[in-house]
């Protein structure tokens, strides 16, 4: 059964304190792993898609990496505006649906 | 800047009333998804369409929910009759539908059924 687990559920950091969010997945035939950011009262906002183990993508203070079992979202020197819930989802070869994790709520304190 | 739009953004209704939510996908996208998000369940897929045809609606309570795409620029989700347990945020997303293709989300409709 396709499954996505995100950890931790919540993470509080001081501004400038780098850390990583984890997304562990089990899927038959990975077609894509997606990271989204969701702010309160808004829809998920697309960040990255990773397709194969070893792939990395960067955007400002965020860097996503992928292995055969998990993905990390690394946040370098975060700012308060990086506070949000970060969602991970995978798509397998069984169908085109996304399997979603529960998200990690990130709080960056000034 | 192409975006998915949804109306209404907020809806408060009484139990038993009909609720209709509308979505305009990004022009050119051929796949539309309806999701429900709650604190307890997270994001749940209710239904999705490709080229206006329903491909999967197994996530919807069939007795009260219905989803349609009258044309390529409009998707609707109806609840009749509504119940308090339907209170949630409903998101529409659109994409090109291929393997590994990104889904782009609208701002959501926040529904409260009293």
């Amino acid at each position: 059964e396709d499954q996505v687990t995100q950890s931790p559920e919540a993470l509080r950091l001081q501004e400038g304190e780098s850390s990583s969010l984890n997304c562990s997945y089990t899927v038959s035939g990975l077609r894509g792993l997606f990271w989204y950011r969701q702010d309160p009262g808004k829809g998920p906002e697309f960040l990255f898609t990773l397709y194969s183990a070893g792939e990395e993508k960067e955007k400002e203070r965020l860097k996503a990496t992928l292995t055969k079992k998990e993905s990390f979202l690394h946040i370098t020197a975060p700012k308060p505006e990086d506070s949000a819930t970060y969602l991970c989802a995978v798509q397998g070869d069984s169908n085109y649906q996304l399997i979603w994790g529960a998200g990690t709520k990130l709080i960056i304190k000034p | 800047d192409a975006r998915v739009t949804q109306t209404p953004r907020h809806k408060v209704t009484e139990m038993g009333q009909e609720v209709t939510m509308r979505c305009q996908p990004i022009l050119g996208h051929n796949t539309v998804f309806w999701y429900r998000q709650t604190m307890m369940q997270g994001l749940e897929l209710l239904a999705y369409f490709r080229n206006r045809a329903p491909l999967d609606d197994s996530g919807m309570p069939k007795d009260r929910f219905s989803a349609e795409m009258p044309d390529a620029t409009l998707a609707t989700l109806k609840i009749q009759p509504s119940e308090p347990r339907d209170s949630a945020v409903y998101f529409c997303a659109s994409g090109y539908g291929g393997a590994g293709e990104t889904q782009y989300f609208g701002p959501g409709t926040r529904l409260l059924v009293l």
Side-chain angles (χ1 to χ4, degrees):
Chain A
E1 180 184 351
D2 297 346
Q3 195 169 4
V4 176
T5 303
Q6 291 189 247
S7 62
E9 290 186 13
L11 181 62
R12 294 175 182 266
L13 301 172
Q14 288 294 137
E15 182 173 1
E17 181 184 0
S18 301
S19 188
S20 298
L21 312 182
N22 178 264
C23 172
S24 297
Y25 66 91
T26 303
V27 68
S28 174
L30 180 70
R31 290 181 177 270
L33 184 142
F34 304 82
W35 282 100
Y36 286 80
R37 167 193 172 127
Q38 187 173 22
D39 293 292
K42 296 189 177 182
E45 176 188 348
F46 169 71
L47 293 173
F48 304 109
T49 307
L50 302 169
Y51 295 102
S52 59
E55 189 174 1
E56 299 182 353
K57 288 192 176 175
E58 289 187 64
K59 179 181 180 180
E60 296 181 356
R61 295 176 292 281
L62 300 177
K63 178 180 178 180
T65 62
L66 181 65
T67 72
K68 290 186 177 180
K69 294 183 178 180
E70 58 191 349
S71 176
F72 291 95
L73 185 64
H74 306 278
I75 302 177
T76 302
K79 299 181 178 181
E81 53 262 42
D82 295 321
S83 297
T85 295
Y86 290 84
L87 297 167
C88 171
V90 298
Q91 185 189 60
D93 62 8
S94 57
N95 58 50
Y96 291 137
Q97 294 184 29
L98 294 185
I99 308 301
W100 292 87
T104 293
K105 184 174 183 178
L106 177 66
I107 299 171
I108 308 298
K109 297 178 287 185
Chain B
D1 186 20
R3 297 186 182 205
V4 175
T5 59
Q6 291 185 247
T7 58
R9 293 294 313 279
H10 303 273
K11 177 73 174 179
V12 180
T13 191
E14 293 189 349
M15 182 173 64
Q17 296 298 304
E18 178 178 301
V19 176
T20 298
M21 291 170 269
R22 293 177 175 81
C23 166
Q24 182 172 7
I26 293 173
L27 187 65
H29 283 181
N30 67 345
T31 306
V32 172
F33 303 83
W34 282 105
Y35 288 93
R36 176 170 61 187
Q37 187 176 44
T38 61
M39 290 293 293
M40 294 298 295
Q41 299 296 329
L43 271 169
E44 302 174 273
L45 180 67
L46 298 175
Y48 76 99
F49 293 77
R50 180 168 300 134
N51 297 323
R52 297 177 53 201
L55 288 192
D56 189 346
D57 61 1
S58 60
M60 288 201 309
K62 297 293 189 303
D63 56 338
R64 300 185 299 110
F65 283 59
S66 63
E68 295 180 341
M69 279 202 74
D71 61 60
T73 64
L74 177 64
T76 62
L77 179 66
K78 291 186 181 181
I79 308 174
Q80 170 63 25
S82 58
E83 297 181 0
R85 59 180 167 154
D86 300 328
S87 298
V89 183
Y90 291 82
F91 289 106
C92 173
S94 71
Y96 289 112
E101 289 288 344
T102 301
Q103 296 179 21
Y104 295 90
F105 282 76
T109 293
R110 187 174 295 273
L111 175 65
L112 177 60
V113 182
L114 302 174

